[in-house]
Amino acid sequence: MIKRIWTWWRIISVIILSMVILLFAGGLFRSFSSGDLVIVLFFVVTLMFLIYLFIECAFPKRFDCMKIVRKYLSFKELKSCIKKEQFNKFEFNDKSDSFSFYYSENWLFVRDVYIPRKMILDMVSFKQSLFSPYTFIGIITKNGEYVTIEKVNSDIEKIVVDSLLKNFAEFKNSVDVLKNVFSKSFFKMLKEEFEKEVTNKKDFVEYCDI
């Protein structure tokens, strides 16, 4: 289920970024001798941006699949957990909208993100604006993260929500959670409370039963 780390586009990106970083590093050293602070600042800012891109491309801990678990598991450990699971495919089919994701006894795999099922706080459905014709269906986790399941036409929202509620016991579509979906302080509070309860890898594995 885990996608390959070193796809061709990632390998090429890392090689190109490495070469460009070396070129700009050389330019930075040469710019010091010119004494022009504007040029020096340009090279410093550009190098910082390029190094950030390089880290994003090169290090597995920053992959989207680890969005929920990266504070507690390494990529290798996540891969080991996933290998023990038997995944099934959930599919919603409608003439106007269709989507799918994978699930096992202990995990959901949604939009390339692995979510331990015991970390799911709730599923929510909401519009980003009052007059929007679309409804976002997503998952809020107990450590204050959000993962979109799908954006669907609002006229089939109830059908989608009912289907998800029927198939996944951890989904409640609670009004109390929904009313906080746009509150940054709510997500911050969830994160802080979770980190107080789950302080290390051992706690996390026991909490999620993985």
Side-chain angles (χ1 to χ4, degrees), residues 121-127 136 138 140 146 157 172-187 189-190:
L121 177 67
D122 206 348
M123 175 204 72
V124 290
S125 58
F126 62 92
K127 292 183 178 182
F136 283 84
I140 296 177
Y146 171 81
E157 173 190 357
K172 301 292 191 299
N173 202 27
S174 166
V175 174
D176 290 334
V177 175
L178 178 60
K179 68 183 181 183
N180 290 300
V181 73
F182 296 114
S183 171
K184 290 183 179 180
S185 60
F186 174 70
F187 288 91
M189 178 199 71
L190 289 176

Side-chain angles (χ1 to χ4, degrees), residues 16 18 28 36 81 101-102 104 121 125 135 139 173 188 204:
I16 292 174
S18 300
L28 177 60
D36 191 330
C81 289
F101 59 86
Y102 292 88
S104 70
L121 177 67
S125 58
T135 296
I139 296 169
N173 202 27
K188 183 179 179 182
F204 181 79

Side-chain angles (χ1 to χ4, degrees), residues 91-135:
E91 294 183 277
F92 177 84
N93 296 303
D94 185 87
K95 61 183 179 181
S96 60
D97 284 291
S98 62
F99 64 88
S100 64
F101 59 86
Y102 292 88
Y103 65 95
S104 70
E105 182 181 357
N106 297 306
W107 296 84
L108 296 186
F109 183 56
V110 180
R111 292 290 184 96
D112 293 339
V113 179
Y114 281 98
I115 310 171
R117 295 182 69 162
K118 291 195 174 179
M119 284 188 70
I120 294 173
L121 177 67
D122 206 348
M123 175 204 72
V124 290
S125 58
F126 62 92
K127 292 183 178 182
Q128 289 190 322
S129 66
L130 183 62
F131 302 105
S132 172
Y134 298 105
T135 296

Side-chain angles (χ1 to χ4, degrees), residues 29-60:
F29 285 117
R30 288 192 296 272
S31 67
F32 277 115
S33 60
S34 71
D36 191 330
L37 292 179
V38 175
I39 295 177
V40 171
L41 182 61
F42 167 76
F43 276 106
V44 169
V45 172
T46 304
L47 266 176
M48 289 174 64
F49 177 70
L50 290 171
I51 290 170
Y52 170 78
L53 289 179
F54 178 83
I55 292 172
E56 288 293 317
C57 283
F59 294 94

